Amino acid sequence: MESRKMVSDYLRTLVLERGLSQNTAAAYGVDINHLLDWCEGCGKDISSLSATDIHTLLCELSEMGLSAASLARFVSGIRGFFKYCRTRNVLDADPSELIEMPRRGRHLPDVLSVEEIDAMISAIDTSKDEALRNRTIVETLYGSGLRVSELTGLRLSRLSLPEECAIVEGKGSKQRLVPLSPVSVSLLQSYLEQRIHGPIKPGNEDIIFLNRRGAAMTRVMVFYIIRDLAAAAGITRKVSPHTLRHSFATHLLQGGANLRAIQALLGHESIATTEIYLHLDRSFLRSELLNHHPHYANPTSAT
């Protein structure tokens, strides 16, 4: 069996038939190719792998420091690949069937306070040409809860400033309508007026956020902008564009928004994904009790 070719065919199927994004398919490809590399290093053929072999590899990955979430993704990736090989009659048995999915601890995402987000915006150097663009990016990420890939993929043809909304393309190329805050709309209007006077590379005319050379901004570039603004604002913990998305959802929940509405705004396929913010909000509520309730803030007052 030509294992590497099977991997390429499988990843193509994930994108074309199952609608996964290129990035998600590529992540699965990294894991599956790691399995093939391990097989070659052990002198094994993938068609002769056993559940014990896969368990041994998982133990090695765990010892290398891979998190439970990464291990779970690895198992999910190779399970899908083995199933694909079985349907093509390439493998006689699926060695991953008896492998248990590693337990993933529930990780509560970091969020920023409104004051911290304001501090990041205040940290933008207004003397630089990209100041307006960067402020628009921060406001749009936080004001609409966008993923960074959704932000970099925003298009003029799918933007309606009069109606204060935009169509974004989320995971699996699924589109959804998202509202834009009045602040974001105002900033977008100003930024788009500025944008037409700068360079725009052919093929990028419909892309909203451009770099200095007139090409579409990358996700990495946006990550660095957010990271540097957080540092300039004196925020010492790790901050990324996704932190603004988490903050958007958490602040909505704290303000009384319905969980189903937050699910729709975030583009979550399952309500279970959105429910993590319930746990986060309970942590917030407890901290509020500890800080403000007299019997929490000062336990001795109850005696």
Side-chain angles (χ1 to χ4, degrees):
M1 155 177 151
E2 297 181 17
S3 302
R4 303 289 179 177
K5 184 179 184 305
M6 286 297 295
V7 174
S8 298
D9 293 343
Y10 173 59
L11 299 181
R12 194 176 301 111
T13 300
L14 291 180
V15 174
L16 297 179
E17 296 182 13
R18 290 184 51 191
L20 269 64
S21 70
Q22 292 283 356
N23 291 326
T24 301
Y28 281 129
V30 169
D31 291 336
I32 299 167
N33 280 307
H34 186 89
L35 172 66
L36 297 183
D37 292 340
W38 184 83
C39 288
E40 291 173 3
C42 297
K44 297 178 179 290
D45 186 86
I46 194 170
S47 60
S48 64
L49 283 181
S50 66
T52 301
D53 291 325
I54 296 178
H55 186 264
T56 299
L57 174 56
L58 289 174
C59 289
E60 291 180 8
L61 293 174
S62 179
E63 290 172 359
M64 291 168 57
L66 255 68
S67 66
S70 297
L71 290 172
R73 190 194 71 182
F74 181 86
V75 172
S76 177
I78 64 174
R79 275 182 177 174
F81 177 63
F82 282 128
K83 183 177 180 180
Y84 174 81
C85 291
R86 285 293 307 279
T87 60
R88 273 24 179 211
N89 296 317
V90 174
L91 293 179
D92 295 328
D94 181 355
S96 68
E97 281 183 337
L98 301 178
I99 299 296
E100 293 184 4
M101 188 69 75
R103 293 186 178 181
R104 302 173 60 174
R106 181 174 289 272
H107 171 66
L108 298 182
D110 288 329
V111 298
L112 298 169
S113 66
V114 175
E115 292 75 19
E116 286 174 321
I117 293 171
D118 289 341
M120 287 176 60
I121 293 171
S122 298
I124 295 173
D125 187 348
T126 56
S127 67
K128 294 185 176 180
D129 294 337
E130 63 270 21
L132 178 57
R133 182 203 64 188
N134 291 353
R135 183 177 179 189
T136 308
I137 285 173
V138 175
E139 291 283 4
T140 306
L141 284 170
Y142 173 61
S144 298
L146 301 186
R147 300 179 177 95
V148 65
S149 58
E150 294 169 348
L151 178 100
T152 56
L154 273 178
R155 296 181 177 274
L156 287 168
S157 58
R158 296 177 181 175
L159 178 69
S160 177
L161 293 182
E163 296 180 0
E164 299 187 342
C165 63
I167 296 174
V168 302
E169 190 169 292
K171 288 186 175 180
S173 300
K174 294 181 180 178
Q175 296 183 353
R176 72 180 188 281
L177 187 70
V178 298
L180 299 170
S181 71
V183 176
S184 296
V185 169
S186 177
L187 286 169
L188 279 164
Q189 287 173 333
S190 299
Y191 165 67
L192 292 177
E193 290 173 4
Q194 181 190 77
R195 175 183 171 279
I196 60 176
H197 299 294
I200 301 178
K201 282 192 173 183
N204 292 273
E205 294 85 359
D206 200 33
I207 300 295
I208 292 179
F209 292 108
L210 304 175
N211 60 26
R212 292 180 182 180
R213 298 179 299 279
M217 295 183 69
T218 65
R219 294 179 302 163
V220 172
M221 188 180 300
V222 177
F223 173 86
Y224 284 139
I225 289 171
I226 300 301
R227 183 200 65 180
D228 293 345
L229 284 177
I235 302 170
T236 56
R237 62 190 186 280
K238 184 178 179 181
V239 176
S240 71
H242 223 63
T243 310
L244 293 174
R245 177 173 162 87
H246 292 319
S247 303
F248 163 83
T250 303
H251 294 168
L252 278 177
L253 189 61
Q254 291 171 357
N258 179 277
L259 196 65
R260 287 288 181 184
I262 297 174
Q263 177 191 4
L265 290 168
L266 293 175
H268 286 161
E269 187 171 339
S270 169
I271 190 67
T273 308
T274 318
E275 283 176 347
I276 191 172
Y277 295 105
L278 285 175
H279 295 265
L280 192 68
D281 191 51
R282 290 183 188 123
S283 298
F284 165 78
L285 292 175
R286 177 158 183 80
S287 70
E288 290 294 288
L289 279 171
L290 290 172
N291 290 329
H292 303 295
H293 192 287
H295 286 191
Y296 284 79
N298 184 17
T300 58
S301 64
T303 60

